[in-house]
Amino acid sequence: MTEKFHATELKRWLQHLEQGVTGGQIDMGLTRVGTVRERMGLQPHCPVVIVGGTNGKGSVCAYLTQIYREAGYRVGTLTSPHLLRFNERIAINGQPVADELIVQAFERIEAERGNTVLTYFEFNTLAAVEVFDQQKVDIMVLEVGLGGRLDAVNVFDADVAAITSIDLDHEAYLGNTIEKVAFEKAGIMRGGRPVICAQLPVPESLAAHAEAVGADLLLLGRDFDYHKLEMQQWSYRFHPQNSQLSVGEHARHALPIPALRGNFQLSNAACALTVLECLSDRLPLDIGAIKRGLLRVHHPGRFQVLPGRPLTILDVGHNPHAARALRNSLITLPYAEKRLAVFSMLADKDIEGVLEIVKDQFDSWYIAPLHLPRGLTTAALEEKFARQHISAITTYASVAEAYRAALSQAGENDRIVVFGSFHTVAEIMDLSSL
């Protein structure tokens, strides 16, 4: 069959799933997806890494994908959401898989699910593992979509789990305190298996859950750490304390600063390197693969600097935790004569919390609504800015129009930052054909 046929079939499938096979609502729980997984006989035949966290989990997945790829392994990576094409969510060696493979996986799920209702995200997860299993990958790297304990990814057992950060987001589903959110994210732990946590201080609920299930908890600052050095280098040290792992202390010196920009990236890279240490008996690799992976890693939309002038940065950050990371990265950049923001966020996000954190980093704002069911009207968006006493705003009909206006008014020594949502960044990436 032709590529055009498969593209049409995939589009038809996605329209069906996006219409909401559960009435359009997120239905948390593992019973349904677990039932279908058992009917399909889906059992990964390679190591599985599950990565959760409020922010940073996508970057950790990107590091693992690139480093293992550089070492010659075949890597299956599940991420979400996508920016331009659904296929980005299901990648092998960093490349989106073909429409045909996804359609075949969807068809198999449909044949096996019977009367069991599945959500868009559950179809996505099962399809990814089905594709990876059929394509005989050497390792699966699965990113948690929402929380952890009840996320569809958690129907699979992690050989190694990583939790990058914990902060408030998706509060309606995960709770309104750090401890509640931490408990949800801790759900990806498994007894007798390592779980890496880079959150400091470590939430009590997370540490308690690790002890309750017998997980091998590896903490930043206790079991592994990193230090930035001169000459654009950094060092990493793995020194597990009372760990069940057979591997011992290991240091990596003179590592290149990762290609992914942002002050927070060394923490993400250190998480990824700790995963490598935990799986070193099963998937050995050399220092060359690590260095090449750090230099060649690619993760669009995460403090991504576009070529040319004015300096333009794309960042998908959409919660206060991400806003703090964005601000910390912006203040380290060279002086810009004018600092312009192209901004939009979804209605169910903490827009005022984000604005409060980053408002001192911009001189003018170019804002627009996102034309989606969860999008805000222009008037509602303006009201959020008024509450934060931000008056230097201009409104536009779309994010693309806002970006064009900012670009036309920016000089070579100015800076444009496009941020607030995956959808905001995706509009500009699509416009720029990045």
Side-chain angles (χ1 to χ4, degrees):
M1 295 183 185
T2 65
E3 290 184 12
K4 185 176 180 180
F5 172 82
H6 290 122
T8 302
E9 280 294 288
L10 179 58
K11 184 177 180 180
R12 182 182 64 80
W13 267 105
L14 295 177
Q15 288 173 341
H16 171 64
L17 296 179
E18 287 163 0
Q19 287 169 358
V21 285
T22 58
Q25 300 296 314
I26 296 175
D27 188 4
M28 304 291 280
L30 300 180
T31 302
R32 291 169 294 99
V33 67
T35 297
V36 180
R37 194 212 79 167
E38 289 178 7
R39 289 176 186 165
M40 294 176 69
L42 269 187
Q43 182 61 48
H45 296 95
C46 64
V48 174
V49 178
I50 294 182
V51 184
T54 303
N55 293 296
K57 54 186 182 288
S59 294
V60 171
C61 291
Y63 287 122
L64 291 171
T65 299
Q66 192 65 42
I67 292 171
Y68 277 122
R69 180 184 179 185
E70 296 292 341
Y73 294 110
R74 190 165 169 81
V75 190
T77 312
L78 167 67
T79 57
S80 66
H82 62 276
L83 283 166
L84 300 179
R85 293 178 62 220
F86 176 86
N87 307 52
E88 297 167 22
R89 295 171 178 246
I90 305 174
I92 294 179
N93 284 352
Q95 300 301 311
V97 300
D99 298 341
E100 179 182 3
L101 294 178
I102 299 174
V103 169
Q104 288 174 353
F106 282 166
E107 289 174 344
R108 177 147 192 258
I109 295 167
E110 184 69 10
E112 297 290 350
R113 75 178 181 88
N115 294 324
T116 304
V117 176
L118 295 175
T119 66
Y120 178 103
F121 302 100
E122 290 164 345
F123 258 89
N124 183 24
T125 301
L126 293 174
V129 175
E130 167 73 4
V131 169
F132 298 155
D133 196 45
Q134 292 295 322
Q135 295 296 305
K136 295 181 170 52
V137 300
D138 298 306
I139 180 171
M140 296 186 193
V141 179
L142 311 180
E143 179 187 352
V144 171
L146 176 61
R149 182 174 65 94
L150 299 178
D151 187 83
V153 165
N154 200 35
V155 77
F156 298 100
D157 294 327
D159 292 281
V160 181
I163 299 171
T164 57
S165 62
I166 300 167
D167 211 315
L168 299 181
D169 197 18
H170 302 291
E171 293 175 45
Y173 300 101
L174 306 182
N176 57 3
T177 69
I178 295 294
E179 290 295 337
K180 289 179 180 178
V181 174
F183 174 75
E184 294 298 326
K185 296 190 183 299
I188 63 175
M189 299 177 181
R190 294 294 188 271
R193 297 184 181 182
V195 56
I196 299 150
C197 180
Q199 175 75 13
L200 294 175
V202 181
E204 291 181 8
S205 60
L206 187 146
H209 189 71
E211 184 174 357
V213 302
D216 191 358
L217 184 59
L218 302 172
L219 301 178
L220 176 62
R222 186 190 72 182
D223 302 288
F224 68 100
D225 54 47
Y226 64 91
H227 298 283
K228 190 172 183 179
L229 308 173
E230 296 179 355
M231 304 295 291
Q232 290 296 298
Q233 294 182 333
W234 64 292
S235 65
Y236 164 84
R237 192 165 69 98
F238 182 63
H239 45 98
Q241 308 295 308
N242 303 316
S243 171
Q244 303 169 38
L245 293 168
S246 59
V247 295
E249 185 171 331
H250 199 168
R252 309 277 189 182
H253 301 294
L255 296 170
I257 295 296
L260 300 185
R261 301 282 292 269
N263 296 340
F264 48 87
Q265 286 298 346
L266 287 186
S267 175
N268 293 333
C271 272
L273 264 59
T274 307
V275 172
L276 305 183
E277 295 293 344
C278 293
L279 291 175
S280 59
D281 287 347
R282 299 173 69 180
L283 298 172
L285 41 72
D286 60 19
I287 189 64
I290 293 174
K291 290 185 175 182
R292 292 191 302 273
L294 292 172
L295 288 170
R296 296 173 180 172
V297 64
H298 184 58
H299 197 207
R302 281 70 173 184
F303 206 76
Q304 179 183 356
V305 178
L306 301 186
R309 307 293 294 179
L311 180 68
T312 302
I313 296 166
L314 307 181
D315 195 274
V316 297
H318 53 268
N319 54 47
H321 186 270
R324 286 191 291 273
L326 174 61
R327 185 180 185 278
N328 289 338
S329 296
L330 289 175
I331 62 179
T332 66
L333 293 177
Y335 170 77
E337 290 182 4
K338 287 191 299 183
R339 303 167 301 171
L340 291 67
V342 176
F343 176 86
S344 192
M345 283 183 72
L346 295 171
D348 56 357
K349 298 298 179 182
D350 184 4
I351 298 176
E352 289 189 55
V354 168
L355 294 178
E356 172 67 27
I357 291 165
V358 299
K359 63 184 180 181
D360 68 330
Q361 292 300 304
F362 300 104
D363 304 306
S364 56
W365 295 74
Y366 298 70
I367 68 172
L370 291 170
H371 300 288
L372 299 161
R374 293 157 59 205
L376 281 174
T377 64
T378 300
L381 202 54
E382 287 178 307
E383 185 180 340
K384 300 288 187 182
F385 277 81
R387 288 180 183 172
Q388 288 299 316
H389 308 290
I390 302 172
S391 58
I393 65 171
T394 310
T395 61
Y396 297 87
S398 69
V399 171
E401 284 188 31
Y403 176 67
R404 288 191 190 99
L407 206 55
S408 70
Q409 296 169 31
E412 285 195 358
N413 297 319
D414 298 337
R415 181 168 69 226
I416 301 172
V417 181
V418 180
F419 75 107
S421 170
F422 277 83
H423 302 284
T424 307
V425 170
E427 280 200 43
I428 305 311
M429 294 183 76
D430 196 27
L431 184 72
S432 307
S433 298
L434 295 175

